[in-house]
Every structure is written in C-alpha cells, then in structure tokens.
Amino acid sequence: MHFDASRPTVRAAAVALAATLSAVTLAPTAHAAPRPAQTAVRVHGHAVDLPVKGGTATIDTTTLRVTARTPDGTMELSAPAATAPGSPGAVTATADGARWTYPGTGLAVTARADKGRLLISIRSTGTADRTLKWPVTGTGSTASALQLPRGEGLSIPAGDTFWNGPGAKLAGSGIAMDSGLTLPLWGWSTGRAGVSYLVPTDIGTTLDVTSEKGTLRATAAHRFSRGEDTTDYTVAFSLTDGSPVAPALDYRAWLKEHGQLGSLERKMDAVPANKKLLGAFHAYTWGQARTAEGVRTLRALGVDRMWLGYDADDQPMTPAAVKAAKDAGYLVGPYDSFANGQDPQKSDAPTSVWPDRVYPDFCVQRADGSPEPGFHDRGCYLGTEAFEKAEPTHHYLADRTRKMTANGADSYFLDVDAAGELFRDHSAAHPQTKARDRANRLARMKRLADGDKLALGSESAGAWANQVLSYDHGSGTPVHDGLWAAQRDKEKWGGYAPAKAPAVFFKPAELPADVAKAMYDPAYRVPLFETALHDSLVNAERWELSYDKLPRQKTTRALLAMLYNTPLNFVIGGDSLEKQGSELAALQKYFSPLHKAAGTEPMTDFRTLNADRTVQRTAFGDGTLTVTANFGTKAYEGLPGGCVDAKLKGDGKPRRLCPADVNR
C-alpha cells in the first residue's frame, strides 16, 4: 500500500498513537457506526471491553478473538486462536482490565488497558509444554499490507503475487521472533487504519506466515515451556493510522516507556571514539589497505571519516597503521567472536582458539549431551554462562580483548553476539536458558563498550541490544534465504582467495532475480528499524555484501542509504582504491555532512509520494534533514530517476546525488 503526501506523516502517527484516531478506513458497514465513547472496563458474559486509544477493544474469552470498535466501524485485531485455548472460567474485572483462566489447559490470562494499548498477558501454570497459536492476523481484505521487520523492514501487500508465491520464500515460513526479526513486532494496515503487534516476550515465539487463497496471513505461535523459561507470553495491540512504519513508532514509544531506548549522543559522551561514527562509511580492509600507507591513500582521496575493520588473522593492523587511521579521523578495530571454539591443534580460525580447556569444556550441550556444532559445523558454540562463571578468575574475554586492542584500536566488532541466535545449554556445569544467554551477551557487550571504552558493533543486531551497541552490520539487509545458496556457489560468488583480496568479497556477483526482488525492490522497503532506532545506533548492511559486490543494486542501495541516513559498507584492498576509490570518496563526501547533522536525530517522517512507491521521502529531527529519493526512471517534480535530493536546515536548495553518474 502507498503512503502519499496527503497521508499522515510519522509525526502525525505519533499523535495518532497518543490520541484517539480521527480518521480510519475500514471495510464498509451497512450503516455508519455511531461514534463510540471511551468506556471503562466492561465484562458481559464471555466478552471483555477495554478502552484503547482509537476505540474500544473487545476480547471473546471463548476463542481469544479480538475486535475493536472505532469511529468508522469495527475491525478485527485477531481471529480466533488457531489452537483452542480451552473453555474459559469466570471473568473477573480488575481496576484496569480483567482476568480469567482456561482450567483445562492451565492458561491464565490478564487483559488490561496500558498507555492506550491493549495488553494481553498469558501465563502457563501447568507442567507440560504447550503451544498457543495466537494472535491470528491478516484475515481481512487483500487490500491490506503486512509490515515485517526483516532487516530494515518491509511492507508487503497481502495479495501480492510474488510474496504469496514460492520465489519469495515467505509464505509457509516460520520466523523466530528472537532471531529472525530485527524488532519484536509485526503490523497490518488497510487504508488509513492499522494494527501494531508488539511481543516483548519474543523468546519462544515464532511468526508463521501463510498464504490463504492468495492472501498473506501471519499467526504468532508461542511455546510455553518451564525448561526454556517461556511460561509468560505478552502481546501489545495498538490501533494506528495505517502508516507502514506505525508499528515501529509504537515500539519506539514502548522502549522509551520502559527505559530501553539507547541514545547515540549519550554513547558519544561516554565513549568519545563513537563521535567518529558520524559521517563515516564502513569498510573491511585487506592487504595494502591495512597499512599506514593504505590509510593515508584513503585520506588523500578526501575521505574524512571511515570505520575500518580487519580480520583477526595473522596480519592485523599494526600500531603504526592504527595510529595513521586515528590521525585521519577514522575509527579502527578488529573483527572478533566469543561464540566459537575449536581444537587449538586443528582450528582454521584464530578467533576460535582459546586457552586451557575452554574448548571443549565450554561447548553448549544439546539435550542429548552432544555439543552444539559451531560456525559451518566447525568446532562448537561456546556457552555464555560458562564464560560468565569463569571470567572473574580466568579473564578469558578480558585477556582476548586486551590482546586484540594492544595496537591502539578504538573500535571492536563482536560477531553474532547481538544477532539473536540464542542457545539453551543443557550442561550441568554451566546451564543456561535462552533468556540467560541474552542477558550474558548484553553484560559482556556492555563491558566492552562502557568498561573498555570501545565503539562497539555486532552483526545483524536485534533491537534488544540497542542500548549497548554503537553500530551494527546487517540489520539494514532484509535477507532472503536464497542469499545463502548464492554464496555457496564459489564459481559465481567467489572463494577466500587470493589472500589480499578474496573473491568472496571483491568479485562482483549477481543475485538471483527472486532474491534481488525480495531484498532490494524499493516498492516493498520501509524503514522500520530506523524509525525505531535511528538515533540509538548506526545501522549498515551485512559485511559480506559490500557496496561493489552487487553492481546491479548499486544505485538502489546508494539511494536507500541516503534516504535512511545510514552508511554504505565497503571492502577495500589490493588495487580496489585505484579502481573505486574516487567513487567511494564522492559518495562519502555527499553523505558525511548529512549524517553529521542528523545521525543523532530520530527519523520523524517517512512517506511515499507516488502510486508505485518509487519516490520516497524521509525527515530527521525537527526539520534537521529532509531527503527525497527517486528509485524510478522518470523525473518527479524535477528530481530525475535514480537520484536523491537532501536538504539540511538552513540550506538554500537541496543537495543532489545521482549515484549512477558517480559509479561510471
């Protein structure tokens, strides 16, 4: 669905979430419904009415169907649960809601009005594991759209042929909300009405997307398990104005209300190195690019800000190279991982080598007692609880970090810690639930950031890590499963040779058509992650998808980066600066002042300006920056296709960039 110039802006959406909706478009009723008054909690039979901002929500306790009466009619927030909760007991009214139980299934429910939302919490009181498939969403018309925080974010028309078909690999999939989505939410919108679904209990919850008669449907499924510590399940429903980014705006408000929203400005005050993130592109370095001479070559091109990373191999950046990077105004730091362990005598990765008996004693144990296989089935995943127990006396992590930053590095990239792939460890020596695993990761990342004063990044960060990270690589990429298959084709994608410029990073590649459409078609892209977290951390694409890796997507990716005020990610080495250095420099010169001005500001507006969604506009702060991107081939109000205009507060006229002209 499109969001045109006449539609409410994100700023207006914020008002809509904080006040009664004044205009929603719903399926027409035979007669116009009278404007419902805000009422107190009302229990009548097996139904519970609660006031929410925008109308009155009603829960049918026999099925867990949820509807809402609004000034313009009735809308369904959830169809009946796909797994019957059982026969409900008597409903008891409370000060702000109601509670009831399902004695046959051991489920206890509390429903209440909470800051304009409908908050429904379900607890399993039984001993047996069970799964509840609810809420069931998207059962309405094909005119609706599904908002899905895959990577940066998507808004998908429910009746879209591609997304209902096999090529998109969405219909028929189950997405783990703790690792497969960057934000613990989804949304639906129809015209000027929508619903936001927030799931703070994301661990143990999946979002199952199906295609029913050519229309997408999304059903959450929560597994109640005492062993997994997932006996509590909460869903927060909000009525929205239909903006495709309204669910992210609702989540941002939730984070603020619960003291969980990070601030890049505060991170810069605490760790001065973070200030160098503003205006910086990111690049992983190889060969000559890791030397002091290579750094000076980059600076001589006019690049005034960069984040430079390097592998933890046998040729890290020397103290002289690190000093040159700092002198140039760049951030510089190693790639590291605390997650993998291998036999030191056979390991193929320095980051997987640990002292003493970390391997195999710290390996995560599966239920059958076998170790959890590590990256690409090499070695094992190491338990975070095992490290936390050992750290006060053995300092394995602190010693690793001290060694990795002895060259003066002021940044650190900790692979996978924030990516959300959490593990239950059945080891008797260091047991952990997934929730404990997450808490341990947050604790050790906080030590790196606050204790070691490092500009900290991680891979494909989930929103739960936004308070400890300053940047991430990967949450900007809405990955399609076909990407992994493409990367396994070494002939087309490239391998890990030559050492100074591995083809896997430097060889241009072409994505399969379905993969490219699912990941980069701007008609489906919406900035959910930036709407929620733009001023909390700096977000970039995956590290193996450098800007030059996908030639066909270069213009689109450049426009998206400028539109979202997020940096491009490069890889440099060998003779790449001779070939592409001027292009990198030109793009960074355009981006730098925009990001320095707005990198610490929230994204306050997103809208599409034409019917096919090829022209899009964002705004940051209180008019600090406005960006308009034309992804199409025809000019729009003077803006050529394939170009972007950015206007900073105080500018006389917009600054224009046409990436294809730079790419030549």
Side-chain angles (χ1 to χ4, degrees):
M1 64 178 302
H2 78 279
F3 187 40
D4 59 34
S6 65
R7 298 289 308 284
T9 64
V10 171
R11 187 176 297 281
V15 175
L17 287 169
T20 303
L21 288 174
S22 60
V24 291
T25 303
L26 305 165
T29 54
H31 301 284
R35 183 174 297 272
Q38 289 287 345
T39 60
V41 177
R42 177 171 172 255
V43 176
H44 47 109
H46 288 293
V48 180
D49 293 344
L50 295 106
V52 295
K53 286 174 180 174
T56 300
T58 299
I59 308 160
D60 179 351
T61 65
T62 62
T63 64
L64 283 179
R65 182 175 186 250
V66 184
T67 57
R69 298 192 307 277
T70 76
D72 293 278
T74 299
M75 61 192 304
E76 184 175 78
L77 280 61
S78 173
T83 51
S87 299
V91 182
T92 302
T94 63
D96 56 358
R99 64 176 184 267
W100 65 95
T101 64
Y102 297 97
T105 56
L107 299 178
V109 184
T110 300
R112 61 188 176 91
D114 180 73
K115 296 182 173 61
R117 302 181 186 91
L118 169 63
L119 199 68
I120 299 181
S121 297
I122 304 173
R123 170 168 289 180
S124 174
T125 61
T127 57
D129 290 359
R130 70 172 60 252
T131 298
L132 177 67
K133 295 184 178 181
W134 173 90
V136 180
T137 65
T139 57
S141 101
T142 57
S144 63
L146 165 66
Q147 286 82 48
L148 193 66
R150 177 186 279 183
E152 178 58 61
L154 301 167
S155 185
I156 304 167
D160 188 280
T161 303
F162 170 72
W163 287 99
N164 279 274
K169 296 187 182 298
L170 178 63
S173 67
I175 307 169
M177 293 198 72
D178 61 358
S179 59
L181 300 177
T182 54
L183 311 174
L185 60 85
W186 75 101
W188 284 95
S189 56
T190 304
R192 293 180 183 270
V195 187
S196 164
Y197 303 88
L198 308 184
V199 184
T201 52
D202 56 333
I203 296 175
T205 307
T206 60
L207 188 66
D208 299 328
V209 183
T210 57
S211 178
E212 309 288 340
K213 298 181 180 179
T215 304
L216 293 177
R217 179 179 295 183
T219 300
H222 184 81
R223 183 163 183 77
F224 297 96
S225 170
R226 290 196 176 281
E228 296 286 354
D229 194 22
T230 57
T231 56
D232 290 292
Y233 177 42
T234 296
V235 181
F237 303 77
S238 292
L239 302 181
T240 76
D241 67 350
S243 162
V245 295
L249 195 67
D250 187 25
Y251 181 56
R252 177 182 174 85
W254 173 280
L255 290 174
K256 291 182 72 174
E257 292 160 11
H258 292 80
Q260 298 171 359
L261 181 63
S263 163
L264 191 55
E265 282 190 334
R266 289 197 297 270
K267 293 169 189 175
M268 292 190 300
D269 290 340
V271 181
N274 283 322
K275 296 176 182 178
K276 293 188 284 185
L277 284 168
L278 295 182
F281 277 174
H282 294 220
Y284 284 89
T285 59
W286 301 82
Q288 177 70 8
R290 292 187 183 180
T291 67
E293 180 184 355
V295 171
R296 286 191 284 268
T297 298
L298 184 62
R299 187 64 185 87
L301 290 170
V303 178
D304 71 332
R305 289 281 176 91
M306 285 293 292
W307 175 92
L308 298 179
Y310 54 90
D311 261 0
D313 54 22
D314 58 352
Q315 292 184 324
M317 287 185 105
T318 65
V322 169
K323 182 179 184 301
K326 288 181 169 181
D327 290 345
Y330 301 167
L331 273 169
V332 59
Y335 159 98
D336 195 8
S337 175
F338 296 164
N340 196 237
Q342 298 184 41
D343 183 341
Q345 303 302 316
K346 302 176 182 178
S347 176
D348 58 4
T351 56
S352 297
V353 176
W354 296 89
D356 304 330
R357 285 185 57 84
V358 168
Y359 178 88
D361 289 359
F362 285 20
C363 290
V364 170
Q365 286 187 18
R366 297 187 290 195
D368 63 3
S370 63
E372 184 70 42
F375 302 157
H376 300 292
D377 293 329
R378 295 143 53 224
C380 71
Y381 275 99
L382 300 175
T384 60
E385 184 69 7
F387 274 120
E388 289 300 293
K389 284 177 175 290
E391 195 63 13
T393 54
H394 291 282
H395 317 303
Y396 293 123
L397 302 182
D399 289 348
R400 167 72 76 89
T401 302
R402 190 178 302 111
K403 179 181 178 181
M404 297 284 275
T405 58
N407 59 0
D410 55 359
S411 179
Y412 213 79
F413 184 82
L414 189 61
D415 194 33
V416 311
D417 253 36
E421 189 176 11
L422 306 171
F423 296 99
R424 181 181 179 186
D425 192 344
H426 293 266
S427 165
H430 40 80
Q432 68 185 32
T433 62
K434 289 185 176 182
R436 180 67 178 176
D437 188 11
R438 177 182 285 181
N440 290 338
R441 292 167 188 246
L442 285 170
R444 69 193 194 185
M445 286 190 286
K446 185 174 177 62
R447 291 196 297 267
L448 285 170
D450 296 348
D452 296 321
K453 302 298 181 183
L454 294 166
L456 180 65
S458 190
E459 177 191 0
S460 301
W464 53 269
N466 87 89
Q467 291 180 280
V468 296
L469 293 181
S470 296
Y471 66 93
D472 88 86
H473 296 161
S475 293
T477 309
V479 171
H480 179 286
D481 284 347
L483 176 64
W484 315 129
Q487 292 181 357
R488 287 193 292 269
D489 186 340
K490 301 304 181 186
E491 182 178 346
K492 293 182 179 179
W493 197 267
Y496 285 87
K500 293 184 178 181
V504 68
F505 298 112
F506 287 89
K507 180 180 180 179
E510 184 173 341
L511 291 173
D514 287 344
V515 178
K517 185 179 182 68
M519 290 175 60
Y520 291 113
D521 189 332
Y524 303 117
R525 294 285 296 260
V526 292
L528 296 176
F529 196 87
E530 298 312 309
T531 296
L533 298 172
H534 182 266
D535 55 342
S536 178
L537 75 164
V538 175
N539 181 29
E541 285 216 65
R542 292 185 60 82
W543 52 270
E544 82 274 26
L545 295 178
S546 67
Y547 182 61
D548 294 308
K549 183 68 181 179
L550 306 173
R552 285 182 176 269
Q553 281 74 42
K554 287 181 78 168
T555 292
T556 294
R557 295 172 78 192
L559 294 182
L560 285 168
M562 304 308 159
L563 183 69
Y564 296 167
N565 198 228
T566 56
L568 290 169
N569 213 343
F570 287 79
V571 59
I572 54 178
D575 60 355
S576 66
L577 284 182
E578 295 177 17
K579 294 180 177 179
Q580 286 99 16
S582 60
E583 177 186 2
L584 184 159
L587 292 170
Q588 193 271 339
K589 183 178 181 180
Y590 181 85
F591 172 78
S592 188
L594 308 181
H595 196 239
K596 288 176 180 176
T600 58
E601 299 280 356
M603 179 181 281
T604 49
D605 189 11
F606 169 79
R607 59 177 68 190
T608 56
L609 304 181
N610 60 350
D612 64 5
R613 302 182 288 278
T614 56
V615 183
Q616 302 178 14
R617 177 172 292 162
T618 56
F620 302 85
D622 188 13
T624 301
L625 173 67
T626 303
V627 185
T628 306
N630 185 348
F631 296 95
T633 57
K634 298 179 180 178
Y636 178 87
E637 295 185 355
L639 177 62
C643 297
V644 59
D645 275 352
K647 188 170 184 180
L648 288 169
K649 183 182 289 187
D651 276 357
K653 62 179 182 179
R655 308 170 184 217
R656 178 163 296 175
L657 173 71
C658 299
D661 294 341
V662 176
N663 293 346
R664 292 195 182 101

